[in-house]
Amino acid sequence: MDPISSDDLVLHTLHNWNSSLAEKFGGDVLILRAPMRPGVDDRVRLEIEGIKESKGRSQGKLMVSVETTGGGSLKRSKELSVYFGNTIGLSSS
């Protein structure tokens, strides 16, 4: 049997917490805690598109929590806000 790495343990724990939140809220959950560096908005968009296109995986609702850890650009935060608003049919200001 292969030893369990700390990365495996952390990923397993995060997966379980995410699944638990998704079940409690009745939808998909995306949590982002990172600096708003170049490419972060594109990566989030790709992940959301993957959830939307995934048959049987998407639950029809998406709960999003974004926490910036400092650094990066306020512009990227705004772009994500606009994208989330457009994705779910709300306007963002």
Side-chain angles (χ1 to χ4, degrees):
M1 176 160 65
D2 292 329
I4 297 173
S5 72
S6 57
D7 284 347
D8 291 338
L9 184 60
V10 168
L11 287 174
H12 178 74
T13 301
L14 290 174
H15 175 75
N16 286 344
W17 285 348
N18 188 291
S19 295
S20 179
L21 284 172
E23 186 177 319
K24 287 180 184 183
F25 287 115
D28 296 297
V29 177
L30 184 137
I31 299 171
L32 173 67
R33 184 176 186 273
M36 296 293 114
R37 302 244 186 250
V40 116
D41 50 335
D42 294 329
R43 185 69 188 115
V44 170
R45 271 191 212 101
L46 288 172
E47 190 64 30
I48 292 171
E49 292 302 322
I51 290 170
K52 287 170 43 177
E53 293 172 3
S54 187
K55 293 182 181 171
R57 181 175 161 205
S58 178
Q59 298 186 35
K61 289 194 279 183
L62 176 63
M63 276 62 68
V64 178
S65 173
V66 177
E67 177 185 351
T68 181
T69 58
S73 164
L74 181 60
K75 179 182 175 205
R76 286 188 208 335
S77 299
K78 177 68 175 172
E79 289 169 353
L80 283 175
S81 174
V82 168
Y83 178 71
F84 291 138
N86 291 338
T87 299
I88 59 174
L90 300 175
S91 63
S92 178
S93 53

